[in-house]
Amino acid sequence: MEDKPLSRAQRLYIALGPLLFALVMALLPASLFELGARVAVGAVVWMGFWWITVPVSPAVTAFVPIVVNALFGVLPMGGVISNYFSEIVVLLLGAELLAIAWQATGFDRRLSLKVLCVIGPSATQQIVIWFVAAGGAFHGAAQAKRRAAGNLGKGGAQHWLEPAFPDCRRYGCGWDD
């Protein structure tokens, strides 16, 4: 994957994030807001601006509180960093890394085409199947530290999908390839 150079708008938005932070820090009266509150509001404005304009990856935007806290020392750093390693954040990081790898290798497109081949062009069938798949994923996640991945593996998917699409083998979208 090649990185594209940043556009003029992206560079402007990157610079505006910290400037908005500084502006909020300057405009909020110190008599009404102590330093920690001004820093927090400024960081929220900075992050909100970057989330809306997306000049950098949302993953980069998510690290703004660490940088701001390192500069201003509003909270103990251990408490801030520990929030980034909760189970859900590690799960989302793993999902993001998988998505990056899938996109880099083209697996995302191959998987999408295979799923469309199996499910077909019907929007109703696609919605039903994605709900079934999401239910399987939810069920797998609920089985903490068990063989959750097997629920959506080839056998699990075949078990759920084949009765709904009995002729998928005939069209070359079968489970044997």
Side-chain angles (χ1 to χ4, degrees):
M1 266 180 3
E2 293 183 28
D3 292 330
K4 296 183 226 169
L6 295 175
S7 69
R8 175 183 271 172
Q10 286 176 311
R11 288 193 305 266
L12 175 66
Y13 293 153
I14 288 172
L16 280 176
L19 287 174
L20 284 171
F21 172 81
L23 184 66
V24 167
M25 290 282 295
L27 291 179
L28 288 177
S31 60
L32 296 175
F33 296 92
E34 53 187 59
L35 178 65
R38 289 183 293 154
V39 168
V41 172
V44 166
V45 170
W46 179 356
M47 291 176 70
F49 180 74
W50 274 9
W51 272 328
I52 292 169
T53 59
V54 195
V56 294
S57 167
V60 173
T61 304
F63 285 103
V64 167
I66 291 177
V67 173
V68 169
N69 193 58
L71 294 172
F72 291 95
V74 176
L75 297 169
M77 195 55 111
V80 174
I81 292 177
S82 69
N83 288 323
Y84 283 81
F85 292 99
S86 67
E87 290 180 16
I88 190 70
V89 171
V90 173
L91 175 70
L92 292 174
L93 175 65
E96 181 73 18
L97 292 175
L98 275 175
I100 290 169
W102 285 13
Q103 187 177 23
T105 60
F107 180 70
D108 58 336
R109 290 179 184 216
R110 291 192 308 270
L111 179 66
S112 299
L113 289 172
K114 188 67 169 179
V115 167
L116 281 175
C117 187
V118 171
I119 295 173
S122 167
T124 304
Q125 286 179 326
Q126 290 180 24
I127 291 169
V128 168
I129 294 304
W130 286 116
F131 271 112
V132 168
F138 179 75
H139 176 68
Q143 298 177 358
K145 299 188 179 158
R146 288 192 178 177
R147 298 180 334 169
N151 290 331
L152 288 179
K154 184 175 179 180
Q158 182 178 359
H159 173 75
W160 287 97
L161 297 178
E162 197 165 348
F165 302 98
D167 57 349
C168 62
R169 288 185 198 275
R170 184 172 36 161
Y171 293 113
C173 300
W175 304 103
D176 297 329
D177 45 336

